[in-house]
Amino acid sequence: MEEAGSFKLRAGGELTTVVCFLMRARVPAGRDLRVGCGGGSDYPGGLIKYAERFDFVEVNVTHYRPVSVSIAERWRRQVSLRPTFEFSVKAPPSFGSRLQRNEFLELVSALDARFVVMRSDADAIEELCDLLLALGATPVVYRARGSTSIPKISGVLYAWDPVLEEPPGPAGYARVFGVAQGILDHLGEGMLKTAAERLGRWTKDLMKVRVVAHTYRSADDAVRIREALLAY
């Protein structure tokens, strides 16, 4: 049975069902650099097994449908043996009511989510960012499709794809999609080299960096990005 907040990845040409893939790079002491994936289906053995290996997940299902606080609390309990485990969640593009917005904020609080990803055209975005910052979560804004600008808001990170662009603001959260081939997002060797060079140049002095692969073979590409960053 499918559970909200998981995703399917393809690795090595075979369909591998996972919640998220993360590998932490060997980085200087005190620097928090994590490379992982985002998406949605069950990890073998569930989140408990996942948390035995990894410590970061970007949950995207929250963008498409509500997730109850009780589910969020269960996820948090399932990773209780990993106190450094970190959730990032993607906000819906709009809330039908203030009640729905408050329920989302309760979910963020229940997960102790460190980052909340949102579209640049999200409803009442500045107010939402203020509320998230008050909860201790860092808002991460990405340019909505068709949008020509991103609102400048204090305390916010700006998601960027290092394959395609320079960062529009603070560069601490990258979401790697690469270039679409048909209906799939692909990360070729040339794209990987470009992404690693930009990530290395723009994040070398940052103490906290998150890189999330959203490509067709996200797990493989997360490893490739990590290795390329180590070699940069």
Side-chain angles (χ1 to χ4, degrees):
M1 179 176 180
E2 183 174 344
E3 179 179 287
S6 55
F7 60 86
K8 290 183 180 178
L9 304 177
R10 288 190 178 271
E14 298 296 328
L15 184 62
T16 303
T17 305
V18 294
V19 171
C20 167
F21 182 89
L22 168 89
M23 295 190 71
R24 295 195 65 171
R26 294 186 183 92
V27 294
R31 191 177 188 216
D32 187 3
L33 169 61
R34 310 185 191 203
V35 182
C37 300
S41 185
D42 297 321
Y43 183 85
L47 186 57
I48 294 174
K49 285 294 184 182
Y50 168 79
E52 291 177 358
R53 299 179 61 198
F54 312 119
D55 60 3
F56 171 75
V57 61
E58 182 186 283
V59 178
N60 294 160
V61 69
T62 46
H63 178 76
Y64 303 103
R65 61 179 184 268
V67 174
S68 70
V69 170
S70 62
I71 289 177
E73 290 172 340
R74 186 172 78 240
W75 290 345
R76 191 76 256 178
R77 289 193 300 271
Q78 288 175 338
V79 301
S80 60
L81 296 180
R82 294 293 304 274
T84 61
F85 192 94
E86 183 178 274
F87 286 93
S88 173
V89 298
K90 188 176 180 182
S94 63
F95 298 98
S97 66
R98 186 173 295 271
L99 175 61
Q100 290 181 356
R101 186 198 66 185
N102 290 343
E103 288 174 343
F104 177 76
L105 293 174
E106 289 177 10
L107 176 140
V108 171
S109 181
L111 286 175
D112 191 24
R114 298 293 84 198
F115 298 91
V116 176
V117 181
M118 67 189 74
R119 291 164 43 148
S120 60
D121 60 354
D123 288 350
I125 187 169
E126 292 192 24
E127 181 182 2
L128 180 58
C129 287
D130 287 342
L131 292 168
L132 291 169
L133 288 167
L135 286 177
T138 299
V140 179
V141 177
Y142 68 94
R143 191 190 309 275
R145 186 170 299 178
S147 176
T148 58
S149 63
I150 295 181
K152 300 301 181 183
I153 305 171
S154 178
V156 169
L157 294 179
Y158 294 90
W160 60 298
D161 187 340
V163 173
L164 304 174
E165 61 187 345
E166 303 289 328
Y173 201 106
R175 306 176 82 226
V176 181
F177 290 86
V179 176
Q181 293 189 346
I183 62 173
L184 304 174
D185 292 309
H186 174 70
L187 188 66
E189 289 300 323
M191 289 181 267
L192 175 66
K193 182 178 179 180
T194 297
E197 190 278 330
R198 283 180 174 147
L199 283 165
R201 177 158 46 90
W202 283 100
T203 68
K204 64 181 180 179
D205 297 324
L206 299 179
M207 294 305 293
K208 181 179 287 189
V209 179
R210 301 292 178 269
V211 183
V212 187
H214 285 273
T215 56
Y216 174 53
R217 292 184 172 89
S218 298
D220 288 344
D221 289 339
V223 176
R224 294 168 67 221
I225 292 167
R226 172 185 176 271
E227 291 175 347
L229 280 174
L230 288 176
Y232 176 78

